[in-house]
Amino acid sequence: MAEKSDPNYKIIAENRRARFDYFIESDLECGIILMGSEVKSLRTGQANIAESYASVENGELWLINGYIAPFQQAKTWGHEERRKRKLLVGKRELSRLWAATAKDGMTLVPLVMYFNHRGLVKLKIGVAKGKKLADKRATEAKRDWDRQKHRLLKEHG
């Protein structure tokens, strides 16, 4: 019997450029504090996390420069489009992320924003190290070779 997909699970925004620009060492799922108009806007899929990043400031984790489109029906009590949004993680994870950014020179990059199976908005954060230009070229060459190899195997059996 086939598994039914969960109607609540839905990807809202994905940062596809992150895997090209960074080496992702590890990732972490965290919650996000939102206003009601932001959640309604996210239900329609109007968000962008491509230019955003996460930062540990004053013992708290923040999503900076994440875009959530304004909700048209909430004109009076709407929200700012690019405001700082607090992310929810445990104390251990927060200290690990702070150590990674402060000591090891890593960057916290948002990878995916989605509704989980309970219908709550979650954000997957990647602890990443920036790639140099040569690394980006190598990644692109490997991807092209894999694509060509797959094509050859498909043609010749």
Side-chain angles (χ1 to χ4, degrees):
M1 189 156 82
E3 293 274 330
K4 288 186 178 179
S5 64
D6 194 345
N8 291 331
Y9 184 81
K10 177 185 173 188
I11 293 177
I12 302 165
E14 189 173 7
N15 188 356
R16 298 179 64 187
R17 183 97 184 145
R19 299 208 186 270
F20 181 73
D21 290 337
Y22 299 98
F23 291 114
I24 307 297
E25 302 287 326
S26 64
D27 58 358
L28 172 72
E29 180 185 71
C30 56
I32 184 168
I33 296 179
L34 298 171
M35 296 173 63
S37 60
E38 291 173 326
V39 176
K40 287 185 177 262
S41 182
L42 290 176
R43 292 254 178 238
T44 60
Q46 300 175 348
N48 187 1
I49 57 171
E51 306 98 30
S52 63
Y53 63 96
S55 175
V56 179
E57 298 172 1
N58 300 327
E60 296 176 333
L61 186 62
W62 295 89
L63 176 67
I64 299 170
N65 202 27
Y67 175 79
I68 297 177
F71 189 61
Q72 293 301 319
Q73 286 80 2
K75 292 178 182 166
T76 308
W77 294 281
H79 62 274
E80 289 182 40
E81 299 167 3
R82 293 198 180 271
R83 72 177 180 91
K84 284 172 52 173
R85 294 170 178 90
K86 188 174 179 181
L87 300 176
L88 304 171
V89 292
K91 288 182 182 179
R92 268 194 198 125
E93 284 88 10
L94 184 64
S95 64
R96 185 177 63 86
L97 293 174
W98 179 81
T101 56
K103 296 176 186 171
D104 301 335
M106 304 291 255
T107 306
L108 301 177
V109 180
L111 301 174
V112 179
M113 182 183 283
Y114 59 95
F115 286 105
N116 70 355
H117 299 292
R118 292 178 46 205
L120 302 174
V121 178
K122 297 291 182 179
L123 185 70
K124 188 176 275 191
I125 298 282
V127 180
K129 189 176 230 33
K131 285 185 182 179
K132 305 278 191 265
L133 185 60
D135 297 329
K136 291 180 186 179
R137 283 193 201 122
T139 302
E140 194 170 340
K142 182 183 181 308
R143 185 177 40 220
D144 289 344
W145 167 243
D146 287 343
R147 201 175 292 144
Q148 186 178 7
K149 183 172 63 173
H150 181 71
R151 197 174 299 130
L152 287 171
L153 286 173
K154 191 174 181 181
E155 288 175 3
H156 299 294

